Amino acid sequence: MEIKVIPDEQTPCIPEMGDVSEFIKSNKQLLDSFLSFAESRSDAIGLAANQISIDGERFMHRVFALCNLKDRSWRLIINPVIDEYIGIKELKNEGCLTWVGRRIISERSRAVKVSYYDINGNKTEGEFYKGFISQVWQHELNHLNGIEERIERFGFKLPHQKDFERNKPCPCSSGKKYKQCCLLLI
């Protein structure tokens, strides 16, 4: 079985899936192969299924692999949804296996609440992520949703972003001071 990343090609939108338990049962071998491929990548933290081909066919499933930064273990995230974007959005400069040698420039919220299924068909709802892992979730969901990103050359510098004052109202319009709101999500 040959698995490889499809370079320099926008990822297509993957529709929501129906019966997740049936999907897992029907695709167990392919899911295990996808996870093994992700585990072999030391150059990635996340990998959306539609970024790769298996035996020459794009792997068109609503799944991504996510690396735990503490122990470098990987897990599959099946039928993921971002339920809520939390905090102010900032421009981020990201690497991507699809666009090697270039950078993705995208607005990302500082935190997200997500729902998904694991490889055993167990559903997790309202799980909270902040900082870099929140950014990875948003990046991989954009792949699965077929959202085109702004691609720039490697070394592109982000424009200076406004620094927020700790004691001023938070720019997310929560009515709280910045230090008691979005600053906590860093």
Side-chain angles (χ1 to χ4, degrees):
M1 180 177 298
E2 182 187 31
I3 303 176
K4 62 182 181 178
V5 174
I6 301 169
D8 303 323
E9 194 175 307
Q10 178 62 37
T11 49
C13 182
I14 307 293
E16 297 293 320
M17 66 176 57
D19 184 344
V20 173
S21 297
E22 184 58 38
F23 165 77
I24 293 169
K25 190 170 24 173
S26 302
N27 293 286
K28 183 75 170 106
Q29 183 181 1
L30 282 173
L31 291 169
D32 288 343
S33 297
F34 173 55
L35 182 59
S36 292
F37 178 72
E39 290 170 336
S40 75
R41 303 301 300 233
S42 61
D43 57 349
I45 307 286
L47 180 63
N50 58 344
Q51 286 179 273
I52 67 165
S53 68
I54 297 180
D55 292 336
E57 297 289 323
R58 191 181 287 269
F59 193 44
M60 294 290 288
H61 295 289
R62 198 159 181 78
V63 176
F64 76 88
L66 180 64
C67 182
N68 179 328
L69 296 175
K70 291 180 182 162
D71 64 6
R72 293 295 299 172
S73 64
W74 286 78
R75 64 188 170 123
L76 292 181
I77 307 294
I78 300 170
N79 207 26
V81 175
I82 295 179
D83 300 316
E84 184 179 356
Y85 294 87
I86 303 166
I88 56 178
K89 291 188 174 189
E90 298 173 298
L91 278 181
K92 297 292 183 178
N93 182 334
E94 304 169 344
C96 182
L97 294 177
T98 299
W99 308 103
V100 176
R102 290 181 270 168
R103 305 301 285 173
I104 289 178
I105 309 302
S106 190
E107 273 195 335
R108 303 286 186 222
S109 291
R110 289 192 174 177
V112 292
K113 281 189 182 175
V114 299
S115 297
Y116 62 95
Y117 291 86
D118 67 17
I119 192 64
N120 298 313
N122 300 316
K123 186 167 187 176
T124 299
E125 294 182 288
E127 195 165 84
F128 177 81
Y129 289 96
K130 69 178 185 176
F132 181 66
I133 295 299
S134 165
Q135 187 176 336
V136 173
W137 267 86
Q138 292 169 79
H139 179 101
E140 299 309 332
L141 259 290
N142 277 4
H143 278 302
L144 295 178
N145 292 332
I147 296 172
E148 286 194 44
E149 303 277 17
R150 177 177 160 192
I151 310 299
E152 294 288 350
R153 71 192 183 297
F154 189 78
F156 176 83
K157 301 284 187 216
L158 289 174
H160 178 72
Q161 296 184 63
K162 181 181 176 184
D163 293 325
F164 304 108
E165 294 183 38
R166 294 174 52 82
N167 290 311
K168 297 279 184 177
C170 190
C172 77
S173 303
S174 67
K176 297 178 183 177
K177 289 183 180 182
Y178 176 63
K179 70 181 179 182
Q180 297 166 327
C181 191
C182 287
L183 183 60
L184 299 173
L185 300 175
I186 294 178

